Amino acid sequence: MEGGCLARKLPAGDLFHAAVCGDPKWLCLSLERVQSPGQQQNKQGLTVLHVAAQHGQLSCLKLLLESGTVDVNASCPHGRKPLHMVLSPESKPNTYSCLIYLLEHGAEPNVSTDEGLTPLHMAAAAGLKECVEELVRIGADTHTRDSRGHTPFELACLWGHRVAARILKNAMWHRDKKRDMEKHQELQNLKQNMIRMYRKEEGMQKLAREAINKQKVSEWAERKGLPCLRSSTMGLWTLSHHCCHSAKPVKKQHATKSRDMWNISPNPSRHPPANISRSETMRIGVHPEEVADEPDLYQSVTLHCFRNEQVHCIASWDNVSQLVPDLPMDVIQKGLFPSKFPSRISGPLQLQCNSVLDLPHRGGAHRTEDSPWTEVAMHLVEELQPGHY
């Protein structure tokens, strides 16, 4: 809808004509003569604020919003707000300034039309770089889809606006990364909570076993006619020193790591150890991985995936289903059961370490015997069947 066509349709002195022309004095006179200007609509169902935003009349927008008689989030019959209208081609060259002014006065950046178009959709489709940057900065949803299933990034790509597409792709990447970090933190919190419950349950079971052992030992001592029992500081029940021989405490010998397991001698004549540990996989680094002091939850926690693709976990100590953060199944398994699903690169089972000296060497330039067959041709002769090539 162009300004000249609208001016011919509307009578002189009308609010809509003043909004299109951008005459503040004319608009002030019209506001004084009209009651409830924010509720009046033209034939298209647009309010005077919609028309002023559509044609980029910043002075009219200021007068209308400062008068307090219009709604900055008013909707037309198609669900369009003034923020949608300001992103039309007719609003140039004041598109960005009008957008900033509407946002500063309470315009909602994530509102959508009946077709599911948000202001970010319209700015991306029009290739308005500054408007896209401002909407992304204030938190507009970059992942929302319209009625046809398109995101703002996809609309920018369809209309060939590369700069806007790069801005949106960067914003989507940062949002996805932030979301993944939050989901991983939720998974770690869930794991720590399960570890606390597991240790609590394990402690209760240990106390129950000690109580049973105490009762059995007491019954046995009573049958044998032995003196009363006493409890040691470690929680174990032992007989009195009158009927037990004292024994010297045995010092625990700490197991030392074998040097051969991690021998990285630079001597090329000595073969490196072939079977270090976990021969079915390859190590990412050369240093041994530190084992976390955590219990194994694999036997106590089970994962269930329902039809809605939501994963739930059920612990054996309470049998209560808990919702797991929305992450891929392999990430959930590695997060909850690191000992059963290690983060390693899979390799062939027959992979063995060999000495560098045992590898075949390619002949140098000093060789005088040149074979008419290359190595590739020799392999082809060995593999291909006669008569088929």
Side-chain angles (χ1 to χ4, degrees):
M1 181 171 54
E2 298 181 357
C5 180
L6 182 62
R8 289 193 297 271
K9 290 182 180 180
L10 296 175
D14 192 84
L15 280 174
F16 298 96
H17 190 190
V20 172
C21 297
D23 190 350
K25 296 182 180 179
W26 197 352
L27 185 61
C28 290
L29 294 175
S30 302
L31 287 173
E32 293 176 357
R33 292 196 300 265
V34 177
Q35 296 180 353
S36 302
Q39 298 179 1
Q40 292 190 359
Q41 298 179 351
N42 60 6
K43 294 181 181 180
Q44 289 79 23
L46 302 177
T47 65
V48 63
L49 188 62
H50 283 85
V51 176
Q54 180 182 4
H55 293 273
Q57 301 298 341
L58 182 59
S59 58
C60 296
L61 289 178
K62 293 180 179 180
L63 287 174
L64 291 170
L65 292 175
E66 289 174 0
S67 65
T69 57
V70 295
D71 183 11
V72 71
N73 291 310
S75 179
C76 76
H78 298 285
R80 294 174 296 180
K81 308 292 191 296
L83 197 61
H84 294 102
M85 305 302 296
V86 81
L87 296 169
S88 61
E90 293 89 348
S91 63
K92 295 179 180 180
N94 298 326
T95 304
Y96 180 71
S97 57
C98 293
L99 176 74
I100 295 296
Y101 188 79
L102 291 175
L103 291 173
E104 290 176 351
H105 286 76
E108 299 177 2
N110 288 318
V111 292
S112 58
T113 64
D114 294 345
E115 297 179 352
L117 295 174
T118 62
L120 190 58
H121 277 98
M122 303 185 69
L128 302 174
K129 171 181 173 292
E130 295 180 349
C131 297
V132 169
E133 289 178 340
E134 181 63 23
L135 289 170
V136 169
R137 186 187 68 82
I138 64 175
D141 190 1
T142 57
H143 289 67
T144 183
R145 298 183 179 273
D146 59 7
S147 58
R148 297 183 179 181
H150 295 150
T151 62
F153 167 73
E154 294 172 347
L155 289 182
C157 293
L158 289 174
W159 289 99
H161 302 300
R162 296 185 177 181
V163 178
R166 291 192 186 101
I167 296 172
L168 292 170
K169 187 64 176 178
N170 180 63
M172 294 173 69
W173 182 85
H174 280 284
R175 179 185 168 181
D176 291 341
K177 185 175 181 180
K178 181 179 179 181
R179 173 189 170 276
D180 290 342
M181 292 177 64
E182 293 174 353
K183 295 297 182 181
H184 279 81
Q185 186 62 40
E186 292 178 7
L187 182 63
Q188 290 300 318
N189 295 338
L190 178 62
K191 179 182 177 181
Q192 295 300 325
N193 186 29
M194 287 185 174
I195 290 176
R196 287 193 295 268
M197 297 296 295
Y198 176 86
R199 288 175 173 169
K200 181 179 179 181
E201 181 69 17
E202 190 179 32
M204 295 176 62
Q205 293 179 0
K206 183 178 180 181
L207 292 177
R209 289 194 300 267
E210 289 180 357
I212 295 175
N213 292 336
K214 174 187 174 181
Q215 182 180 2
K216 290 183 178 180
V217 172
S218 301
E219 293 175 354
W220 173 81
E222 184 178 357
R223 291 196 305 268
K224 296 294 183 179
L226 298 175
C228 60
L229 302 176
R230 62 181 179 85
S231 62
S232 63
T233 57
M234 299 300 294
L236 302 176
W237 289 85
T238 58
L239 294 176
S240 176
H241 65 278
H242 296 287
C243 58
C244 296
H245 297 284
S246 61
K248 295 182 179 180
V250 180
K251 295 183 179 180
K252 294 183 179 180
Q253 297 180 354
H254 297 281
T256 57
K257 294 183 179 180
S258 176
R259 181 176 176 81
D260 294 335
M261 180 175 293
W262 301 104
N263 186 6
I264 52 174
S265 175
N267 187 4
S269 62
R270 179 178 179 182
H271 292 269
N275 298 323
I276 298 176
S277 64
R278 296 184 182 179
S279 58
E280 70 276 2
T281 57
M282 293 186 296
R283 293 186 176 276
I284 298 177
V286 296
H287 301 288
E289 298 180 357
E290 297 182 359
V291 181
D293 185 16
E294 296 178 350
D296 187 10
L297 301 176
Y298 187 72
Q299 302 295 336
S300 305
V301 179
T302 56
L303 299 176
H304 300 276
C305 185
F306 295 93
R307 294 182 178 179
N308 55 1
E309 298 183 356
Q310 291 184 348
V311 182
H312 293 253
C313 63
I314 301 177
S316 60
W317 51 80
D318 54 6
N319 292 326
V320 177
S321 177
Q322 299 186 47
L323 182 63
V324 180
D326 187 14
L327 290 170
M329 178 61 78
D330 58 339
V331 177
I332 296 174
Q333 291 175 342
K334 290 179 181 179
L336 294 179
F337 318 120
S339 60
K340 297 296 181 181
F341 300 92
S343 300
R344 292 176 176 271
I345 304 176
S346 300
L349 295 177
Q350 66 274 13
L351 179 63
Q352 298 291 336
C353 297
N354 296 321
S355 175
V356 179
L357 300 178
D358 296 337
L359 297 177
H361 296 273
R362 180 182 294 181
H366 62 278
R367 293 184 57 185
T368 57
E369 298 179 0
D370 297 330
S371 173
W373 295 91
T374 63
E375 186 177 358
V376 177
M378 293 177 65
H379 283 292
L380 289 176
V381 171
E382 293 178 359
E383 294 295 332
L384 297 178
Q385 298 179 1
H388 293 276
Y389 60 93

